[in-house]
Every structure is written in structure tokens, then in C-alpha cells.
Amino acid sequence: MFFLPAETAHYFTMRLLELPFGTSIFSGKTIHEEKLGKEVGGIKFPNPIGLAAGFDKNARWIPILAQLGFGHIEIGTVTPKPQPGNPKPRLFRLPKDKALVNRMGFNNDGADVIAERLKSLDRSKINAIIGGNIGKNKVTPNEEAVNDYLICFDKLFDYVDYFVVNVSSPNTPGLRELQEKESLAGILSAIQNANHKKANPKPVFLKISPDLHYDQIDEIIEVVKETKLTGIIATNTTISREELKTDMETVEKAGDGGLSGAPLAMVSQGILWYLRSKCPKDMVLISSGGIMNAHQAKKRLDAGADLVQIYTGFIYEGPALNKRIKKLLLQETH
């Protein structure tokens, strides 16, 4: 797969898994994994390992990914209107660092098409929770962004189990400005107002950047508490390129975009520790960023994460990473 361009390899791999017996060969399931089920944010998760947003942007592969052993699958980021994203190539590997650089730019089929795709799923055959990661279209100015989030929230509401507000991707111009206190409070308040008008409100999370200063994180915690969100997902990808093993020529050739994978591990771990020390005990924390092996996943859970999400670790290690994490966690249940 690594001989192919990164984005090509992504789609080729999923097509292979669509073949008969594809998921049985690469299953990430293990015996007794039912013991790993836990209730988080009022939802019963089959296990604490999720697939972060960005892998299945268009909700095409949920049954396959559930067979690979994920306890939750986060689709998206979904925008109201379909958009092609940034020009290709836009996904690059840095194998020496076990990292990826992406500048996808919220390429997706749009909320209407994705809602129909989710509606057609037979949930009785899918033992996984589905999350909806929502964002704004590139052409939507920030002062009108709240409308985009509300459109996606409304269209996906009946088909996902929880929502994630994405204001932290570095690949949509100006998006991260929405993490500033006033803008963020406006968006989250509007979503929660819409949420509480529903008969059965859904858990709502905020996904934050790893490039925030601690005073910015403090402001975000205050907004999350004020708007009574379920919790925070920490973290998204970073724009930093510090302390990489890859030569600078290769890094520069990859260009701008969010970096994920092993170099993000310490930063994401540090932000998790900080959040757990500052947030109320009942605020749910989902840790994402740089989880490349079972011990790192367990370390995040031990540090106070309620759930973990993997993405780049899944690219480099495959479904076996799911199985290794579960086996390590099950050792504690005996």
C-alpha cells in the first residue's frame, strides 16, 4: 500500500475490505471484548476504541469498520453542501516519523447525501456507535458559520448517536478563528438550543486544536461548561513541524496541512492531562492524536480519557492495533 499515493491507497484498501471475507481476514475483534463495554455521555459504547473523523468522511464504510472492531466510528467532517476539498495531492506520509500530513479541506458529499446514506444502514447489524463530525463550507464566511453547523446538525440528527463540532481543522481558511471565545460561544449555544428542542437531545462534543495556548484552553473549558456540552475531543492535527526525523526537503514537499501521528503523542497527552485537571469530573474527554500502540491507548485511558480515537495509528499498524489495545485492556479485567 505504501508504494501507492496515500489517498489512492486509502480508497484501494477499503475496496479490498469490501470483498467477501475481507473483514474476517483483518478483523480487529478479540474474545471476551464484551467486557470492554462502557457507558459514556449516556451512550453504551461496545468498547472504548474509536475511529477518528476523516477516515470515513462520507459514511461509506461503517459496516466494514464496525467489523474491524471499532466501538465508535466518527464520520465527516460533513458540510451542508458537497465540496471537493483542496487540490490533489493533499495527503502525504512521513514514514520515518510514523506521521501523515493532510490538507484535505473537508472534501465530502454534503449533508443531504450523507444523511440518506446513514438512513439506509441497518443499525441492528452494526455493533458500533456512530458520531457525526460537522463543519462549515469553505465559501461560508465565519460570521455565517453558525448556520452551516445548524444545517448539518438538523439533517444528521436522526441518524447519528452523537455530534462533534469541528472548529479546529487547519485546512479550511479561517476556521480556527471560530475557537475564539465569542465565536465559539455563539456556535455552541445555537447548537445546544436546537438540541434541547428535540425530544431526545444528543451528546455534543467540541474538537480542539493541539496548537492552543493554555489560556485559550481555559477559555474553551469555560464556554463548554457554560453551554453544557457533553465534553471535549482532544486533539485535532497540528500545524507544527518541530522535532521531526524526516528531512526538511521531504517535509517541505508535503507542504501545508495538519500533521498527525506519532509526533503528536506528547502534545495530545499533555493537553489531556491539563483538561482532566481543569474540567469537572462529569465532563467527558475523548483523547485523539498520536496513539500508535496499545500502551499509548491505555496510558490515555489511565490519564482520564473516557474513550480514545485512532487514525494514523490505524494507517500504519492496521486493524491489528485494535486487537492489541483490547487484549491489553482485557488483562486488567481478569
Side-chain angles (χ1 to χ4, degrees):
M1 292 304 140
F2 273 60
F3 285 108
L4 296 172
E7 193 168 350
T8 304
H10 176 79
Y11 289 104
F12 182 69
T13 301
M14 295 314 298
R15 289 193 182 101
L16 285 179
L17 290 172
E18 287 175 325
L19 296 173
F21 310 111
T23 53
S24 60
I25 295 170
F26 298 106
S27 175
K29 296 185 176 183
T30 188
I31 57 170
H32 304 307
E33 68 172 66
E34 67 278 358
K35 295 179 180 179
L36 296 176
K38 64 188 299 190
E39 187 171 310
V40 176
I43 298 174
K44 183 65 185 291
F45 287 77
N47 66 68
I49 309 154
L51 181 62
F55 192 94
D56 190 6
K57 289 174 174 289
N58 292 309
R60 288 185 175 278
W61 302 310
I62 289 171
I64 293 170
L65 294 167
Q67 284 294 315
L68 294 180
F70 288 105
H72 66 281
I73 298 153
E74 197 170 298
I75 62 146
T77 297
V78 180
T79 58
K81 298 174 183 176
Q83 58 182 30
N86 293 321
K88 298 178 183 180
R90 54 194 179 183
L91 182 63
F92 306 87
R93 307 183 195 94
L94 304 180
K96 289 181 181 178
D97 288 289
K98 288 198 169 182
L100 296 174
V101 173
N102 95 79
R103 51 174 174 274
M104 304 298 285
F106 288 175
N107 54 304
N108 75 105
D109 292 339
D112 285 321
V113 170
I114 293 171
E116 284 299 314
R117 204 168 278 145
L118 290 167
K119 184 180 179 180
S120 70
L121 291 174
D122 183 353
R123 292 296 300 269
S124 67
K125 296 179 180 178
I126 298 170
N127 186 31
I129 298 302
I130 300 174
N133 187 299
I134 57 177
K136 78 172 190 73
N137 281 111
K138 185 177 181 179
V139 297
T140 303
N142 277 3
E143 54 270 22
E144 297 173 19
V146 64
N147 298 324
D148 279 17
Y149 288 95
L150 287 171
I151 289 167
C152 293
F153 180 82
D154 186 59
K155 290 183 183 295
L156 300 183
F157 187 87
D158 291 334
Y159 312 115
V160 300
D161 302 304
Y162 71 86
F163 282 93
V164 180
V165 177
N166 187 352
V167 291
S168 53
S169 169
N171 299 319
T172 296
L175 186 77
R176 285 186 166 190
E177 294 170 12
L178 298 177
Q179 292 181 118
E180 294 171 9
K181 190 173 184 179
E182 188 176 339
S183 299
L184 186 62
I187 291 169
L188 298 185
S189 295
I191 288 174
Q192 284 293 65
N193 287 339
N195 195 22
H196 291 301
K197 287 177 182 176
K198 304 285 188 179
N200 297 294
K202 301 278 173 82
V204 179
F205 297 88
L206 174 69
K207 189 166 188 176
I208 66 171
S209 163
D211 302 318
L212 296 166
H213 298 297
Y214 286 111
D215 57 341
Q216 293 174 296
I217 295 175
D218 289 340
E219 288 188 344
I220 285 172
I221 293 170
E222 285 306 309
V223 173
V224 169
K225 290 195 305 190
E226 287 167 7
T227 54
K228 295 182 170 58
L229 252 61
T230 307
I232 296 172
I233 300 182
T235 62
N236 212 318
T237 57
T238 179
I239 58 172
S240 172
R241 300 291 188 269
E242 293 180 8
E243 298 183 22
L244 296 179
K245 298 171 186 174
T246 305
D247 63 274
M248 284 310 299
E249 184 180 346
T250 302
V251 173
E252 287 171 4
K253 190 179 292 184
D256 295 335
L259 183 136
S260 62
L264 200 53
M266 288 301 294
V267 175
S268 291
Q269 177 83 46
I271 290 176
L272 171 64
W273 280 327
Y274 188 79
L275 288 170
R276 191 73 284 171
S277 70
K278 293 282 187 176
C279 294
K281 288 184 178 180
D282 62 347
M283 186 181 289
V284 176
L285 297 180
I286 301 176
S287 188
S288 178
I291 298 174
M292 307 298 288
N293 58 56
H295 290 283
Q296 286 176 325
K298 183 178 181 297
K299 190 176 180 181
R300 303 288 177 96
L301 294 166
D302 290 345
D306 296 283
L307 303 166
V308 295
Q309 292 183 342
I310 61 176
Y311 182 123
T312 307
F314 182 59
I315 302 294
Y316 278 90
E317 302 297 327
L321 177 57
N322 270 353
K323 192 175 287 188
R324 288 195 289 268
I325 295 171
K326 290 174 185 175
K327 285 183 176 179
L328 182 61
L329 297 179
L330 283 167
Q331 288 175 13
E332 290 194 336
T333 66
H334 294 320

